[in-house]
Amino acid sequence: MPLSMLRPGETGWIKEIVGGRKAKGKLNDLGFVSGKQVKIYRSSGGPLIVGIGDNRIALGKGMAHKVIVDTEGCEN
Amino acid sequence: MALNKTSRKETEVKIALAGNPNSGKTTLFNELTGSRQHVGNWPGVTVEKKTGHAFYKEYALEVIDLPGTYSLGAYSEDEVVARDFLTAGQYDLVLDIINSANLERNLYFTIQLLEMGVDLVAVLNMADEAEKKGIKINKHKLSQMLGAPVVETVASKGRGIENLLAETIKNRDLTEPALEINYGAEIEDLITEIAKLFMEYDFTNQVNHRWAAVKLIEHDPEAVKLLEREVGSSKAKKIKSLIAERELKAKDDFDNIIIDKKYELINKIITESVKAPAAGQEPENMSDKIDAVVTNKYLGIPIFLVVMWAIFKFTFTLGDPLIGYIETLFEVIGGWAGGLLTGLGASPLVASFITDGIIGGVGSVLVFIPNIFLLFLAIGILEDSGYMSRAAYIMDKVMSKLGLHGKSFIPMVIGFGCNVPGIMATRTLENKRDRIISILINPLMSCSARLPVYVVFAGALFPNHGSTVVFSLYLLGIIMAVVMSGVFNKLLFKGERSHFVMELPPYRFPTAKGVFIHMWEKTGAFLKKAGTIIFSVVVLIWVLANLPLGVEYASANSFIGHFGRFVAPIFKPLGFGSWQAASSLVFGILAKEVVVGTLGVVYAAGETGLRTVLATQFTPLAAYSFMAMVLLYTPCIASLGAIKSETQSWKWTLVTAGYLFVLAWVVAFIIYQGGMLLGLGA
């Protein structure tokens, strides 16, 4: 499911990044790669705040749709 | 990639600092070169490359600080600056600055540099933060795996700098082979074939050929351009179709494989050279706790407004008594100089030049040093703390209604200091449309040069509500910016929505050093401006106020009076149709502080203080209308210059100059005429 559907406090594992070269490249740069664990810190109203390890990334809804996650543990 | 030494002395070394945003590049640059470049805690503080010099033993180092970048993908203008510099290879050595506490993502960039064949020293900066988190890095092992020397530093405390310099000199002629990552049979075969075609087509560019092939497989637009330039478009097409053909046959996306393999390597490096406490999600830290409040759905915007209000309250409450002292000082000097000069038998002209021209003009502007100082102190704290990117986050919702996103808000906040860096800060926006709109609205953000105008008028006509009046003007600027970006979005551009991605760096306690650097730099710039452009314009106006020969000083019949009277009718419906006000606005386009300087000269305020004069010349309503005009009308020449150089277009420069004048006129008209209707004209 897309990352945008997770609720605050929930974690997921990135399965894949969909979308154009630019969006994908930008997400990859910031550490959004398959197999990574992400946690949602905020999702109400504006953009999401997503935690990858120690990093906190603000992610617009459009971008969050491009990140496909699994909520079950999945070791890639 | 060492530079050709023949043309230079053996002791000259050129190094570049590269790395992720917030890895401490600029702090390290300042430590190395003794410069005072502005450091901040948000991605995009440095948007252009800066050069400094360092000396170590007999060596002279030229140090270049590049904008922070997450990769060589170069999605925004500031990243392009860094990428272009790195690929051009005009340096001896790169210092790749790595945030030790955030190794994985930082190494992603390191790996890309090494793959390109860049000779680098990996600088594990912020080593203290890594230590605090219990991260232990085996430097020897890491160095071995990267094939590059590794040095540890804590730039913020000046630790490890000597050692870094020594290592830099030691490795200045480093020539390591480029890093080769095994991308698996499918891609490796393709790379080999492309390399063969490179030979066949006589592709001789100095870039690493394997790297160029990988970039082509990734469909990197710059690599494609390079290929077309080198071998012509028909041969380039053959290579591109070979890649497309293989991609169709493959079961997985090549892009994905390449990225996965890079991260695989990084993970291997980390597993073998780093000992860290059990990975996974960290417990909620301090930054998260602060964010839970300041980014709250309901509290976010009110908190932002309170922060802004606090900044202005701080600037005014502390600044006001100081202004009073300085004003009195100038008045005393003015009166004393006038008396002395007359006593010495100086001609009245000389006495007038000193008291009316210099003290009345430049003095009226210099009075505001305390405000400028305090404003930049506050902005410095704001930038250093990490709140800046939170403000962008909070405003995303508002901005996205206008077709922009939150990141466009950062240049606006920078604009409160000065619009020139504000306009330059738009380089961090990936999307051209976002960038143009952000540039067009940036002058609406009330910069520090407008502050003296507000303070003098608010002091003269709103003595009890000064800070509220000024705060309302800042808000008016923001509201107009929001309205105009909505208008431009509708009028000028359709579709092409961009997406919001931005790192929220951990909060940091602002360092005194960082904040003071910012404050000194800006106050210094203000003084320099007062000594150069403001001084020159003031002298010019004083001359115009004395011509034609024999005219009564600064009377309606002087040149400046004639000029002002010619322009004044435009401003009459706005409540300030005097020739003095009109000429101050015209000359104010040279620099906004000049509005105050001009008024000081034409009202001969040297001995009485400008506030006293203004209180008799303006009604509060006219004064408010005038302040709104100064806020919104045509930006200063420096801003227009920045717009021209950032947009590379006269069209956008003229559009900005023109639309802002019309907007200012209309708003001031509504304020004044509306106020009159409501009976506020007294």
Side-chain angles (χ1 to χ4, degrees):
Chain A
M1 69 168 100
L3 183 61
S4 49
M5 285 171 70
L6 291 192
R7 288 219 288 262
E10 286 186 337
T11 54
W13 284 262
I14 298 175
K15 222 171 106 188
E16 59 171 329
I17 313 284
V18 294
R21 214 193 85 84
K22 227 175 155 175
K24 215 163 145 180
K26 192 81 210 173
L27 285 166
N28 284 324
D29 282 0
L30 284 159
F32 288 86
V33 273
S34 51
K36 280 258 131 192
Q37 190 185 21
V38 287
K39 180 177 174 183
I40 305 293
Y41 282 84
R42 185 166 295 277
S43 70
S44 55
L48 279 77
I49 296 180
V50 184
I52 302 190
D54 276 351
N55 297 321
R56 301 290 176 266
I57 317 283
L59 211 57
K61 282 272 154 70
M63 280 302 233
H65 275 299
K66 297 182 199 291
V67 181
I68 311 297
V69 293
D70 268 337
T71 42
E72 306 288 306
C74 116
E75 292 308 313
N76 192 350
Chain B
M1 208 171 276
L3 276 176
N4 178 10
K5 289 269 184 185
T6 50
S7 58
R8 301 185 310 149
K9 274 190 244 154
E10 182 57 30
T11 52
E12 284 175 14
V13 182
K14 190 169 174 184
I15 58 172
L17 308 186
N20 277 197
N22 278 301
S23 57
K25 282 180 304 304
T26 305
T27 310
L28 190 66
F29 177 81
N30 287 344
E31 281 297 328
L32 281 173
T33 62
S35 318
R36 301 216 190 104
Q37 290 297 343
H38 172 43
V39 180
N41 186 20
W42 41 280
V45 199
T46 310
V47 289
E48 54 175 352
K49 55 174 191 280
K50 287 171 180 154
T51 307
H53 295 273
F55 298 93
Y56 180 76
K57 292 185 178 161
E58 71 269 34
Y59 295 94
L61 289 87
E62 188 182 346
V63 187
I64 291 134
D65 184 24
L66 296 172
T69 175
Y70 295 105
S71 74
L72 291 169
Y75 301 101
S76 56
E77 208 55 42
D78 56 330
E79 292 183 338
V80 170
V81 171
R83 203 264 317 270
D84 286 354
F85 185 87
L86 288 166
T87 48
Q90 291 302 305
Y91 46 79
D92 294 305
L93 189 68
V94 167
L95 302 187
D96 174 28
I97 318 301
I98 293 170
N99 177 350
S100 311
N102 196 355
L103 215 49
E104 186 180 34
R105 203 186 60 202
N106 280 258
L107 284 178
Y108 185 57
F109 181 64
T110 311
I111 294 288
Q112 293 187 40
L113 289 178
L114 290 170
E115 216 186 357
M116 197 169 89
V118 171
D119 292 311
L120 60 83
V121 170
V123 182
L124 294 174
N125 194 28
M126 304 186 174
D128 55 338
E129 281 184 31
E131 217 167 281
K132 238 186 270 166
K133 286 186 178 171
I135 301 171
K136 284 202 180 70
I137 303 170
N138 180 338
K139 280 187 291 179
H140 182 71
K141 185 80 198 164
L142 181 64
S143 166
Q144 211 177 38
M145 295 193 79
L146 290 174
V150 173
V151 182
E152 222 173 58
T153 57
V154 184
S156 58
K157 293 180 185 142
R159 259 163 51 193
I161 304 297
E162 274 292 309
N163 185 31
L164 174 61
L165 280 166
E167 283 293 316
T168 303
I169 297 302
K170 200 173 109 196
N171 292 294
R172 66 188 185 280
D173 293 323
L174 192 73
T175 36
E176 285 284 329
L179 175 75
E180 289 190 12
I181 302 169
N182 189 330
Y183 290 116
E186 269 175 331
I187 294 179
E188 288 299 325
D189 287 349
L190 182 54
I191 292 173
T192 316
E193 276 176 67
I194 294 173
K196 251 189 241 157
L197 287 176
F198 278 170
M199 296 273 271
E200 197 184 315
Y201 296 159
D202 224 10
F203 178 83
T204 50
N205 193 284
Q206 48 129 12
V207 298
N208 181 292
H209 285 196
R210 182 186 161 87
W211 175 76
V214 174
K215 282 281 143 193
L216 287 170
I217 297 172
E218 286 181 307
H219 306 286
D220 182 278
E222 292 302 316
V224 174
K225 262 188 242 161
L226 173 74
L227 180 69
E228 282 169 354
R229 213 167 45 231
E230 291 284 323
V231 302
S233 59
S234 68
K235 284 174 181 165
K237 213 171 177 181
K238 279 188 193 146
I239 295 184
K240 281 193 284 181
S241 51
L242 171 71
I243 295 170
E245 183 193 305
R246 290 303 161 81
E247 224 167 13
L248 270 176
K249 276 194 224 155
K251 44 183 193 308
D252 218 350
D253 216 16
F254 282 167
D255 280 10
N256 288 345
I257 299 177
I258 291 172
I259 290 161
D260 285 348
K261 289 287 179 188
K262 282 199 176 100
Y263 272 99
E264 228 169 73
L265 173 65
I266 293 166
N267 283 329
K268 189 165 168 251
I269 294 173
I270 291 180
T271 338
E272 291 186 27
S273 62
V274 179
K275 266 198 202 127
Q281 291 297 321
E282 295 281 312
E284 243 183 43
N285 55 36
M286 199 55 185
S287 282
D288 292 328
K289 282 179 192 145
I290 299 172
D291 277 342
V293 181
V294 303
T295 65
N296 181 284
K297 194 174 165 185
Y298 304 103
L299 294 176
I301 290 182
I303 290 176
F304 173 72
L305 290 176
V306 168
V307 168
M308 296 270 299
W309 186 80
I311 289 177
F312 299 114
K313 201 71 190 162
F314 170 78
T315 308
F316 288 97
T317 319
L318 279 180
D320 224 33
L322 295 173
I323 291 178
Y325 296 138
I326 301 184
E327 211 169 26
T328 314
L329 180 74
F330 274 114
E331 280 161 33
V332 170
I333 296 175
W336 175 79
L340 183 78
L341 288 165
T342 328
L344 284 172
S347 75
L349 206 61
V350 174
S352 158
F353 179 72
I354 302 292
T355 55
D356 301 327
I358 307 298
I359 297 173
V362 181
S364 298
V365 179
L366 283 181
V367 162
F368 300 100
I369 286 181
N371 290 107
I372 304 289
F373 202 76
L374 292 167
L375 177 70
F376 281 108
L377 174 68
I379 292 182
I381 292 173
L382 193 69
E383 287 192 26
D384 253 24
S385 66
Y387 183 70
M388 203 68 130
S389 37
R390 273 71 184 187
Y393 171 86
I394 293 158
M395 294 305 285
D396 184 69
K397 213 174 163 191
V398 179
M399 303 298 282
S400 62
K401 292 215 172 79
L402 308 163
L404 293 175
H405 60 57
K407 227 178 177 177
S408 323
F409 195 66
I410 291 185
M412 292 170 71
V413 180
I414 306 289
F416 283 135
C418 174
N419 295 135
V420 173
I423 289 160
M424 288 176 67
T426 62
R427 288 186 186 179
T428 58
L429 304 174
E430 291 92 3
N431 182 309
K432 176 113 198 267
R433 184 199 67 137
D434 289 7
R435 216 180 149 211
I436 297 281
I437 296 181
S438 298
I439 288 173
L440 291 180
I441 62 170
N442 200 277
L444 290 167
M445 306 317 289
S446 188
C447 68
S448 62
R450 272 97 133 187
L451 197 57
V453 183
Y454 306 154
V455 177
V456 76
F457 275 91
L461 291 136
F462 303 93
N464 301 320
H465 307 284
S467 55
T468 316
V469 164
V470 177
F471 186 57
S472 75
L473 286 160
Y474 279 84
L475 277 187
L476 177 67
I478 298 180
I479 293 166
M480 285 300 135
V482 165
V483 170
M484 288 317 296
S485 53
V487 171
F488 286 131
N489 187 41
K490 284 249 154 45
L491 276 184
L492 302 175
F493 307 95
K494 294 255 149 59
E496 209 199 331
R497 286 186 72 89
S498 59
H499 296 297
F500 180 50
V501 198
M502 192 184 57
E503 188 174 5
L504 304 175
Y507 288 99
R508 241 177 9 204
F509 205 79
T511 62
K513 194 178 171 191
V515 172
F516 272 93
I517 282 176
H518 190 54
M519 203 166 73
W520 283 119
E521 184 194 356
K522 300 295 178 175
T523 310
F526 174 74
L527 284 175
K528 198 175 155 207
K529 213 165 152 194
T532 53
I533 183 159
I534 297 171
F535 175 79
S536 324
V537 178
V538 156
V539 169
L540 173 71
I541 287 166
W542 180 83
V543 171
L544 292 175
N546 272 301
L547 290 175
L549 285 174
V551 76
E552 188 194 337
Y553 174 74
S555 68
N557 287 321
S558 64
F559 277 0
I560 185 100
H562 276 290
F563 173 74
R565 275 192 295 169
F566 177 71
V567 188
I570 305 174
F571 301 111
K572 194 150 179 43
L574 314 181
F576 40 87
S578 73
W579 68 262
Q580 289 95 336
S583 47
S584 77
L585 286 171
V586 173
F587 285 96
I589 293 174
L590 296 169
K592 293 285 167 94
E593 298 96 332
V594 164
V595 171
V596 171
T598 308
L599 290 172
V601 176
V602 294
Y603 284 126
E607 290 174 48
T608 49
L610 189 52
R611 288 192 209 193
T612 324
V613 186
L614 290 178
T616 65
Q617 299 287 328
F618 281 78
T619 63
L621 182 63
Y624 196 82
S625 166
F626 185 81
M627 286 189 277
M629 183 78 193
V630 171
L631 161 68
L632 303 172
Y633 87 123
T634 307
C636 71
I637 288 198
S639 299
L640 290 173
I643 294 170
K644 169 68 180 55
S645 70
E646 294 298 313
T647 60
Q648 297 290 327
S649 143
W650 279 111
K651 185 185 88 181
W652 290 126
T653 314
L654 295 173
V655 164
T656 317
Y659 101 80
L660 284 168
F661 188 85
V662 175
L663 178 73
W665 196 93
V666 171
V667 171
F669 183 85
I670 294 170
I671 289 172
Y672 185 69
Q673 298 297 339
M676 292 297 274
L677 286 177
L678 294 173
L680 300 171

